[in-house]
Amino acid sequence: MGSHRKLIRIQLVDDNEVTRALLRGILRGEEYEVVGEASDGEQCIEMALRLKPDVLCLDISMPKADGLEVLRQVRAQLPETVVLMVTSHTEREMVQ
């Protein structure tokens, strides 16, 4: 048997399908597995609690619960999950 590395399980969260498709394409490879996709904050939280992904790629601006609210809840309930914030905003204040 060859060495079998554990795949990094990723959940994509963005209200824009094109952005999710781009992220999915970038992550397609041997080390990553996209285990779920959500298009709003409420769906994201429910899915993350069920799937317990290793990494959550999280958009800031979304309907039903914005990325910062989702971040607070995920941090509290899934402290092991790494959260990468994704945004199309270029304003310095939003990015910070």
Side-chain angles (χ1 to χ4, degrees):
M1 295 256 225
S3 66
H4 183 72
R5 287 195 316 231
K6 181 181 177 293
L7 293 177
I8 296 170
R9 301 173 67 251
I10 300 176
Q11 179 180 339
L12 303 178
V13 187
D14 197 301
D15 58 336
N16 186 318
E17 168 59 38
V18 173
T19 303
R20 289 199 318 271
L22 285 170
L23 287 169
R24 198 179 321 119
I26 291 167
L27 295 168
R28 185 168 289 135
E30 298 173 27
E31 298 175 29
Y32 306 107
E33 177 187 14
V34 175
V35 294
E37 295 186 29
S39 59
D40 68 59
E42 286 180 3
Q43 184 185 34
C44 165
I45 293 165
E46 177 273 318
M47 189 178 286
L49 292 175
R50 186 167 34 86
L51 297 175
K52 296 177 176 53
D54 299 314
V55 177
L56 188 63
C57 289
L58 179 59
D59 186 21
I60 291 176
S61 303
M62 290 183 303
K64 296 191 182 172
D66 72 18
L68 297 177
E69 175 57 31
V70 171
L71 175 63
R72 282 188 281 275
Q73 292 193 42
V74 169
R75 278 271 176 265
Q77 298 180 65
L78 297 170
E80 300 296 309
T81 296
V82 173
V83 179
L84 299 176
M85 300 302 288
V86 178
T87 183
S88 59
H89 292 281
T90 55
E91 301 86 28
R92 181 177 294 278
E93 298 76 30
M94 178 64 89
V95 173
Q96 288 176 336

